[in-house]
Amino acid sequence: MVRADAPGKIILFGEHAVVHGQPAIAAPLHAVRATAIAAPAPHASGLTVYAPDLDLTRRLESLDDSPDDPLHNALLFPLQVALRYLEQPIPDLTLTVRSTIPIASGLGSGAALATALVRALCAALDRALPNDELNPLIFQVEQRHHGTPSGIDNTVIVYEQPVYFVRGTPPQPFAIARPFTLLVADTGHGSPTHTTVGDVGRLYAAEPARIGAIFSEIGGITQQARRLIEAGKVAALGPLMDRNHDLLRQLTVSSGALDRLCAAARAAGALGAKLSGGGRGGNIIALVDEERAGSVADALLAAGAANVIRTAVRPPG
Ligand code: PMV
């Protein structure tokens, strides 16, 4: 039996603008993870994926058929992509998957599940797959989920380290001079990333000058944030998060619930707050001093957060 896992992720700066060529910064969310366990199955029984939390069993019938349904895309498509890449037939194997990453809330559950499944498959087949080869495979899975993803989710999840990311270029790891604490607060509403990405694309096509200027400002904020993180000046990230959130509102991807949670966090003493991910649902992140983390988390719950996760952004290892 072999076991593999992958973390969730949060986007710190630059979502949406990253789809249009600007940089973004993302970090792994270690507190929530997807796990896959591979166990040998009887001869000629094929490959079965079992998701006990969903009470669901799916069998991989072929390497070619690819029905475009969400469960196939989440559980079987990653295995098809990997087996085709490895030029392997369908093995006799049972893969059991579990995840503590909330689904469809911008925390990377799809990419993490795919990463854990493919890693467990490779381990069971005794085929080492370096991250540089795994990452493009998980990007293919993301394309099934989202249409035109930037690639930031799969990159931060596969490498499990904070990255500065520009679409179409290799991920740039960067120094984190001082770890810092974030609260991740869930609105409890799903986040339809492909819809918000499509809407922002249409807005850009309709008003290229105004929206292009917003993308550029978000890109500038992201570059500034990288320099501050590298210099250990983390408190100065707060105002940048607030401004990034404002700009995301102008891109129409915030919501009443996201704005309320950001306001509640700031009022309770957070240094800054913004939505994280596709928007119109999903999560906000709030930057907090260690000693304020508890009271800001309480304020977020009182303001209607369905769940609050505390995480540290820190150097890998
Ligand atoms: O998967 P989410 O909801 O965290 O959103 C990803 C961030 C976007 O920039 C909105 C889309 C993308 O592909 O980069």
Side-chain angles (χ1 to χ4, degrees):
M1 242 171 25
V2 284
R3 181 193 160 101
D5 68 356
K9 73 99 204 357
I10 41 175
I11 296 182
L12 270 52
F13 292 97
E15 51 274 271
H16 286 290
V18 68
V19 176
H20 302 274
Q22 297 292 338
I25 294 174
L29 183 58
H30 305 283
V32 287
R33 302 190 79 81
T35 309
I37 295 171
H43 178 65
S45 61
L47 201 169
T48 305
V49 178
Y50 173 47
D53 302 341
L54 304 173
D55 196 19
L56 197 91
T57 304
R58 283 273 170 133
R59 194 158 178 275
L60 182 60
E61 301 291 349
S62 107
L63 289 186
D64 301 317
D65 78 306
S66 276
D68 195 8
D69 82 83
L71 284 175
H72 179 91
N73 291 346
L75 300 177
L76 298 182
F77 187 64
L79 302 169
Q80 289 180 314
V81 167
L83 288 168
R84 287 199 294 250
Y85 179 76
L86 298 169
E87 297 180 341
Q88 289 270 332
I90 297 175
D92 296 322
L93 212 58
T94 301
L95 286 159
T96 302
V97 286
R98 289 190 172 80
S99 175
T100 54
I101 309 171
I103 294 171
S105 62
L107 298 182
S109 76
L113 209 57
T115 302
L117 276 167
V118 173
R119 281 189 175 139
L121 172 75
C122 291
L125 296 175
D126 220 3
R127 292 282 303 264
L129 195 61
N131 287 341
D132 289 347
E133 288 178 50
L134 175 61
N135 195 30
L137 302 185
I138 307 303
F139 183 59
Q140 282 185 49
V141 178
E142 287 289 282
Q143 286 174 309
R144 281 291 280 230
H145 287 302
H146 291 319
T148 55
S150 63
I152 191 167
D153 279 25
N154 47 285
T155 299
V156 69
I157 285 167
V158 165
Y159 292 93
E160 195 160 353
Q161 56 178 285
V163 291
Y164 180 88
F165 179 85
V166 179
R167 184 177 190 160
T169 68
Q172 301 177 40
F174 63 105
I176 302 200
R178 259 184 61 202
F180 51 98
T181 303
L182 295 173
L183 298 176
V184 184
D186 194 344
T187 57
H189 312 140
S191 164
T193 298
H194 63 279
T195 310
T196 55
V197 168
D199 287 353
V200 171
R202 277 183 286 278
L203 199 59
Y204 186 32
E207 296 181 68
R210 185 173 76 86
I211 301 303
I214 294 175
F215 291 155
S216 300
E217 188 177 343
I218 293 175
I221 287 174
T222 303
Q223 289 169 358
Q224 217 182 325
R226 175 184 177 159
R227 287 193 291 272
L228 291 170
I229 295 169
E230 287 175 331
K233 297 180 179 162
V234 291
L237 294 173
L240 295 184
M241 291 170 72
D242 293 344
R243 179 65 186 154
N244 196 165
H245 182 75
D246 261 357
L247 293 164
L248 287 163
R249 287 187 60 186
Q250 292 175 40
L251 293 179
T252 75
V253 297
S254 192
S255 69
L258 289 164
D259 290 345
R260 258 195 309 283
L261 291 182
C262 286
R266 291 180 199 121
L271 301 164
K274 63 181 279 293
L275 73 84
S276 176
R280 294 202 194 134
N283 288 269
I284 67 124
I285 53 173
L287 177 69
V288 290
D289 284 330
E290 277 293 308
E291 59 277 12
R292 291 268 174 97
S295 52
V296 177
D298 288 345
L300 283 163
L301 290 168
N307 185 36
V308 179
I309 298 170
R310 180 174 171 163
T311 189
V313 179
R314 49 177 157 79

